[in-house]
Amino acid sequence: MIEKATRSAVLWVLSITLAALFSAFQIQSALHSGSLSVPVSYDDVGYFNDALARLEVLYLDGGKAFLKQFWTNPPHAPLQTLLALLGFGVFGPAPWAADAMNALPLAIVLRLFLEFACRSLPLPVAALAGTAFLGYPLLGLFVLEFRPDMMCALLTSIGALIVVADPRWREGRRVTLGTTVALFVGALLAKPTLAPVTVAVFGAAFFAAVTLHSNSRTEAKKIVRIAFVCGALGVLIVLPYYVAILPHLIDYISVNALGINAHLWRANLSWSNHALYYLTGAGGLIAIGRAWLVLGCTIMILTLPLAIRFHRTTLAIFLVALMAYAGVTVPAMKSPFLGVIVSAFLLCIIAILVVQILKRLPRQFLLVAALGLLTFSALTWRPVALILNTFGRPATGMQAEQYTRIYSQTADALASISDLGRRQLYFPVIAQYLNPDNIEFELRRRNFPVPTMPRVYHDGDISAHRDLISKSDLAVLFSNETTLPNPWPASTGVRNEIGSALAATNSFELFATVDGGPFGGQVLIFKRKGT
């Protein structure tokens, strides 16, 4: 028992150390020329604002009010908000502090891998393999993109593969069953808007385990009972949250999948590009990368004899992975992050197969093979900023400085307005690094009151904008197209009409301007006359 406890402690220490070092390295890379070198933006900023608003309640009203709001105003993605709360609560309201907290779920992922690998490999070899897998693009995104997609994808993939590939789950071992339930619950709380896909993947895993791994009716009944208990327990744990969030979920999914915002996410692709989007298309290039995709295909070919030998497990894994792939590929909605479950499944399958290959090698070649995998990972590693930047280069120091200056000076001007918290700010057209969401973050970070800011950039109806202008005390506009890197919001199409409508009221005066510098034009801040 002592030896087992010591081994578990060693694996935890190793996992936490690797996750912390990797996260620190990624954060330094982003501070140099990535997302942390420029003003915070989408989608990270939404979770940051949610966390800061909740922390304000904690600091001003105490723990009871803080906990109550989780029922009265449930977070959009609970685990992501919790990580931001921890980061800001411990290190202060800096974007890197929230990103640093992603090391916690990453450590859990590494711990699960090391536990699996150490069943058949020496600890040093398993540690080298785990370190090598940190070079997989998805894990870099996991640390630096503060959105729930990566966590949900990894928890779903690992949990489903435990169900179909680990015989200890079918044997009903408590630790394995508990792990599966925890992963199921974690995935449901990581990204509730993707719950249909999460439930479908775990459902497919339970079905595959029953149909492919049972040799008798008695065994099938046992697996059905285990699956039912795991699924029911997971649902019961998350039920209170889903009861509270259900109206928001229905509204969010209907608006973004079927309603007025659906066109923003639908990709106009050929059927082949549509089918391969998360493998060789934009989604695959960001979360998998060509090198790792080639490596994965090569490993699958090399392990084909093993796949045939263990054909039931192979077929079960294939069915679950196919369900995950179909769940994000069949819908017309496409985004590089929406379908990262494909990348997560590929990573998990590669990890399983690499362990199977290594444990069959002569002992004297184990370390060499693990070092080879680590070398491959190091040679193919690319910073997240380079992976995400479609123009080929991360932000330069000059660009980052200018973005930050424009952002800070706009926030300075707004912060100088009296009674800011009682006013309504009209901010109809957005730039990547200047928008109502990151202005809210900057004001909250400085502990300034936040004005009411309706998010109207998805609305292309000029009459709706005229109505908002009549109700607003403040407005932020751009004088020049070159200061507007985001052409896709619907409001951009009526940008000139918006400017004319504001001027026609004769109710606003120019309060402040911020020079666009190398990007041209100015940021114009208007204030209602006499206020």
Side-chain angles (χ1 to χ4, degrees):
M1 178 65 76
I2 295 176
E3 184 180 344
K4 185 177 180 181
T6 302
R7 176 177 174 274
S8 179
V10 168
L11 293 182
W12 273 118
V13 169
L14 181 58
S15 301
I16 292 169
T17 302
L18 287 175
L21 290 174
F22 176 72
S23 298
F25 174 76
Q26 291 286 356
I27 287 170
Q28 287 300 321
S29 168
L31 286 168
H32 177 270
S33 55
S35 59
L36 295 176
S37 70
V38 292
V40 62
S41 193
Y42 303 110
D43 280 353
D44 307 31
V45 69
Y47 303 107
F48 294 171
N49 286 336
D50 184 36
L52 287 181
R54 293 174 191 278
L55 275 178
E56 185 176 0
V57 172
L58 177 64
Y59 296 153
L60 296 179
D61 301 320
K64 182 179 178 181
F66 171 74
L67 294 174
K68 182 181 177 181
Q69 66 179 333
F70 280 89
W71 174 257
T72 58
N73 179 30
H76 179 75
L79 296 188
Q80 213 65 32
T81 296
L82 178 61
L83 290 174
L85 282 168
L86 287 172
F88 296 154
V90 174
F91 300 111
W96 67 263
D99 287 348
M101 291 300 103
N102 283 327
L104 298 177
L106 179 60
I108 293 172
V109 170
L110 284 169
R111 174 65 175 79
L112 290 169
F113 170 75
L114 291 176
E115 172 68 30
F116 163 71
C118 285
R119 294 179 206 166
S120 50
L121 297 175
L123 179 58
V125 175
L128 283 174
T131 305
F133 287 128
L134 289 173
Y136 190 76
L138 176 68
L139 298 183
L141 295 172
F142 189 11
V143 173
L144 292 180
E145 283 292 310
F146 199 81
R147 59 177 76 216
D149 306 73
M150 279 66 72
M151 190 191 311
C152 179
L154 286 164
L155 297 182
T156 302
S157 304
I158 296 169
L161 288 174
I162 288 175
V163 171
V164 298
D166 191 341
R168 300 183 306 171
W169 184 85
R170 300 189 297 274
E171 294 167 3
R173 296 194 186 183
R174 290 183 179 181
V175 173
T176 306
L177 298 184
T179 301
T180 306
V181 172
L183 291 168
F184 183 41
V185 169
L188 289 172
L189 293 178
K191 191 172 176 66
T193 53
L194 208 61
V197 174
T198 300
V199 172
V201 171
F202 272 94
F206 293 149
F207 175 79
V210 172
T211 56
L212 294 171
H213 287 302
S214 55
N215 297 311
S216 66
R217 180 173 294 183
T218 301
E219 194 173 359
K221 287 181 178 179
K222 178 185 177 182
I223 298 175
V224 167
R225 185 169 59 254
I226 291 171
F228 177 79
V229 170
C230 287
L233 184 56
V235 169
L236 284 174
I237 292 171
V238 302
L239 187 59
Y241 168 77
Y242 273 82
V243 169
I245 198 70
L246 187 60
H248 168 73
L249 279 183
I250 293 173
D251 179 66
Y252 182 90
I253 293 173
S254 61
V255 167
N256 288 284
L258 306 171
I260 59 173
N261 291 342
H263 69 282
L264 297 173
W265 309 110
R266 289 188 187 128
N268 185 21
L269 302 171
S270 66
W271 70 268
S272 57
N273 289 335
H274 192 75
L276 296 173
Y277 182 87
Y278 293 116
L279 280 177
T280 58
L285 291 176
I286 285 175
I288 300 173
R290 291 190 179 93
W292 281 93
L293 183 60
V294 170
L295 177 68
C297 293
T298 302
I299 288 174
M300 289 181 197
I301 292 170
L302 291 175
T303 56
L304 193 58
L306 281 176
I308 296 171
R309 179 180 173 186
F310 301 101
H311 59 279
R312 289 191 178 188
T313 300
T314 301
L315 182 56
I317 292 174
F318 172 77
L319 289 176
V320 174
L322 181 63
M323 174 59 75
Y325 194 84
V328 294
T329 299
V330 171
M333 297 173 66
K334 288 290 179 293
S335 136
F337 298 103
L338 188 63
V340 289
I341 192 170
V342 175
S343 171
F345 261 102
L346 182 61
L347 171 62
C348 293
I349 291 170
I350 291 174
I352 291 171
L353 294 180
V354 164
V355 171
Q356 297 304 313
I357 291 172
L358 289 175
K359 77 177 187 179
R360 287 168 170 79
L361 290 177
R363 199 168 186 85
Q364 61 268 30
F365 295 130
L366 276 178
L367 204 58
V368 174
L371 286 171
L373 181 63
L374 184 60
T375 302
F376 166 85
S377 177
L379 291 174
T380 58
W381 180 82
R382 299 171 76 217
V384 169
L386 189 58
I387 292 172
L388 292 178
N389 196 305
T390 55
F391 297 102
R393 300 299 303 169
T396 64
M398 185 275 290
Q399 287 174 322
E401 183 179 353
Q402 291 294 334
Y403 287 140
T404 302
R405 176 190 62 79
I406 294 169
Y407 167 66
S408 297
Q409 289 180 0
T410 303
D412 289 341
L414 291 170
S416 69
I417 297 172
S418 61
D419 295 325
L420 185 61
R422 299 177 183 176
R423 298 177 182 269
Q424 178 164 301
L425 172 61
Y426 173 64
F427 202 140
V429 186
I430 63 171
Q432 182 67 22
Y433 300 113
L434 187 62
N435 50 68
D437 296 280
N438 68 6
I439 286 295
E440 177 183 344
F441 173 76
E442 183 63 18
L443 292 173
R444 289 191 182 281
R445 190 185 68 79
R446 299 183 188 185
N447 198 24
F448 275 88
V450 178
T452 302
M453 288 188 283
R455 275 34 174 195
V456 294
Y457 45 85
H458 288 319
D459 197 336
D461 181 3
I462 188 60
S463 62
H465 286 273
R466 289 194 183 100
D467 183 56
L468 280 169
I469 289 170
S470 69
K471 298 175 182 177
S472 298
D473 307 292
L474 305 166
V476 175
L477 300 178
F478 296 90
S479 70
N480 193 302
E481 293 286 350
T482 58
T483 58
L484 183 65
N486 280 359
W488 53 265
S491 62
T492 305
V494 292
R495 175 180 169 276
N496 293 329
E497 290 90 335
I498 287 172
S500 299
L502 187 77
T505 66
N506 198 31
S507 300
F508 288 83
E509 59 186 354
L510 188 62
F511 176 76
T513 61
V514 177
D515 181 47
F519 309 111
Q522 294 176 318
V523 178
L524 308 175
I525 302 167
F526 294 91
K527 182 172 173 285
R528 186 172 289 277
K529 294 176 181 178
T531 62

